[in-house]
């Protein structure tokens, strides 16, 4: 089974800090995604990447950047954390094109609190 | 108009009943649809996908797709308390490269 590992389960950071969320997958997937999930708003796509050094903006990229230096690793960066970025962050990966029988595989999530 | 609409619930059903979860979408180009289950505090996990009109069955789960009416549904037969979770509908977009999710329907199966 594909394993998607997010480096931290819980994080507490201060306003203005630069925050790095790391995601690693072990099955050679081309696609990687970062979503945030908030009550009543569902899963919203922040950024995705379909290849090393490639990145595409999702629906809510403001305040975030990403890095994909290696195929297996996709990092989400909060340049200057703000309280409205308190959320559950979910990383996912998939084949390209998407395998319809497997969809995405999600990591276990990082619950980030910005104080 | 949201791209994917789901009733947030909670939808409460008694144990052993059929739970019916519905999702409507606005993008007529969408061809492939997914149902994910998410337990509280956990990440989503794929239940099944559907891309042809009609029904697709997998165990106690049946997905139904009607492209003309732009809706997709998930039926859970013989509902169990362990089915209590939030169910997310998603469709494939972005040239077949990414999923757009609904906000999910919370299902509660009561003893």
């Amino acid at each position: 089974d594909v394993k998607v590992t997010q480096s931290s389960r819980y994080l507490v950071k201060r306003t203005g800090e630069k925050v790095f969320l790391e995601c690693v997958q072990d099955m050679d997937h081309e696609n990687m995604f970062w979503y945030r999930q908030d009550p009543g708003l569902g899963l919203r796509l922040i950024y995705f990447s379909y290849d090393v050094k490639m990145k595409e903006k999702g629906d809510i990229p403001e305040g975030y950047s990403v890095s994909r230096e290696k195929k297996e690793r996709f990092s989400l960066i909060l340049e200057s954390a703000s309280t409205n970025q308190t959320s559950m962050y979910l990383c996912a990966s998939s084949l390209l094109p998407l395998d319809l029988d497997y969809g995405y595989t999600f990591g276990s999530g990082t619950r980030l609190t910005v104080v | 108009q949201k791209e994917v609409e789901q009733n947030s619930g909670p939808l409460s059903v008694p144990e052993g009943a059929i739970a019916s979860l519905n999702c409507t979408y606005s993008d007529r180009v969408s061809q492939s649809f997914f149902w994910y289950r998410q337990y509280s505090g956990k990440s989503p996990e794929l239940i099944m996908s559907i891309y042809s009109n009609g029904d697709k069955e997998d165990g106690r789960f049946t997905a139904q797709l009607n492209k003309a009416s732009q809706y997709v549904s998930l039926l859970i037969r013989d509902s169990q308390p362990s089915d209590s979770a939030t169910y997310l509908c998603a469709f494939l977009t972005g040239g077949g490269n990414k999923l757009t999710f609904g906000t999910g329907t919370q299902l509660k199966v009561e003893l």
Side-chain angles (χ1 to χ4, degrees):
Chain A
D1 283 350
V2 176
K3 190 171 182 180
V4 180
T5 303
Q6 294 184 233
S7 54
S8 302
R9 187 75 179 96
Y10 298 95
L11 273 179
V12 180
K13 296 293 182 180
R14 294 192 180 277
T15 300
E17 276 193 77
K18 191 169 186 176
V19 181
F20 293 85
L21 302 183
E22 305 288 344
C23 176
V24 177
Q25 51 94 4
D26 66 0
M27 280 296 289
D28 205 33
H29 280 178
E30 293 84 4
N31 276 340
M32 295 189 76
F33 306 85
W34 276 106
Y35 287 83
R36 64 177 283 178
Q37 187 173 31
D38 301 287
L41 297 177
L43 282 156
R44 294 181 291 168
L45 182 63
I46 304 171
Y47 269 97
F48 66 102
S49 168
Y50 54 87
D51 200 354
V52 175
K53 298 193 184 295
M54 302 303 291
K55 60 183 179 183
E56 296 281 346
K57 292 181 180 179
D59 301 315
I60 52 164
E62 297 78 18
Y64 303 93
S65 63
V66 290
S67 173
R68 193 164 181 201
E69 295 296 320
K70 293 184 178 181
K71 190 174 185 178
E72 66 270 20
R73 185 181 297 270
F74 192 35
S75 303
L76 180 69
I77 304 156
L78 286 65
E79 298 291 343
S80 177
S82 64
T83 55
N84 64 12
Q85 292 178 310
T86 292
S87 186
M88 170 68 86
Y89 289 87
L90 288 163
C91 175
S93 73
S94 76
L95 291 169
L96 176 66
L98 188 76
D99 186 317
L100 298 181
D101 292 326
Y102 290 94
Y104 286 179
T105 298
F106 283 90
S108 56
T110 295
R111 184 163 294 281
L112 173 67
T113 302
V114 182
V115 297
Chain B
Q1 182 186 6
K2 291 183 181 177
E3 292 182 280
V4 185
E5 299 269 5
Q6 290 185 261
N7 187 322
S8 62
L11 172 67
S12 293
V13 299
E15 183 179 8
I18 296 175
S20 177
L21 304 159
N22 300 308
C23 173
T24 58
Y25 60 95
S26 58
D27 184 357
R28 285 195 171 272
V29 179
S30 301
Q31 295 293 316
S32 303
F33 303 86
F34 300 77
W35 282 101
Y36 281 81
R37 176 177 62 200
Q38 186 176 24
Y39 292 113
S40 180
K42 302 292 185 182
S43 58
E45 52 185 352
L46 182 66
I47 299 173
M48 62 194 307
S49 61
I50 185 167
Y51 29 89
S52 300
N53 270 328
D55 295 359
K56 180 181 179 183
E57 188 175 317
D58 184 0
R60 295 188 297 114
F61 298 94
T62 299
Q64 300 175 318
L65 175 59
N66 184 322
K67 291 185 181 180
S69 300
Q70 294 178 253
Y71 81 79
V72 58
S73 60
L74 181 70
L75 302 179
I76 306 174
R77 290 182 299 282
D78 188 24
S79 296
Q80 301 297 310
S82 59
D83 294 325
S84 297
T86 296
Y87 290 79
L88 303 169
C89 167
F91 70 91
L92 189 62
T93 185
N97 194 28
K98 59 177 181 169
L99 295 179
T100 295
F101 289 84
T103 53
T105 298
Q106 184 183 8
L107 173 67
K108 293 185 177 181
V109 181
E110 298 169 334
L111 296 171

